[in-house]
Amino acid sequence: MNLIYMGTPEFAVGPLEFLLKAGHEILCVVTQPDKPKGRGKKMQFTPVKELALEHGIEVLQPIKVREPEVIEQLRSYG
């Protein structure tokens, strides 16, 4: 089954790992944009993005998911 996964925080990593181990093909991951963290304000990937990149999954990080161009992009996955 081909899926698009949406999630950002650490607790969203578990379900994504489960789907990957179950053999589902994740077409892309939609997560929040990277944000600066810590005293140095270094940009940090979301936990879901880190896992997606480890597995070679495309990552979308729109500011607003409901923007027409984002919706169209998601529709393009079929």
Side-chain angles (χ1 to χ4, degrees):
M1 177 183 259
N2 298 335
L3 302 169
I4 296 173
Y5 187 81
M6 296 179 80
T8 297
E10 188 66 42
F11 69 81
V13 170
L16 178 56
E17 286 177 328
F18 176 82
L19 292 170
L20 290 167
K21 287 178 184 174
H24 296 286
E25 182 181 356
I26 309 299
L27 301 175
C28 79
V29 163
V30 181
T31 187
Q32 292 180 0
D34 301 332
K35 295 180 181 175
K37 279 204 163 186
R39 289 185 171 203
K41 297 294 182 190
K42 183 178 178 186
M43 293 299 278
Q44 186 171 356
F45 292 167
T46 68
V48 168
K49 179 179 179 179
E50 287 180 10
L51 180 61
L53 293 176
E54 287 173 18
H55 289 274
I57 300 169
E58 182 179 356
V59 177
L60 302 178
Q61 294 183 282
I63 294 171
K64 292 185 179 181
V65 177
R66 295 182 184 206
E67 293 292 328
E69 54 273 358
V70 176
I71 293 170
E72 194 57 40
Q73 188 173 10
L74 292 174
R75 283 188 180 141
S76 73
Y77 289 101

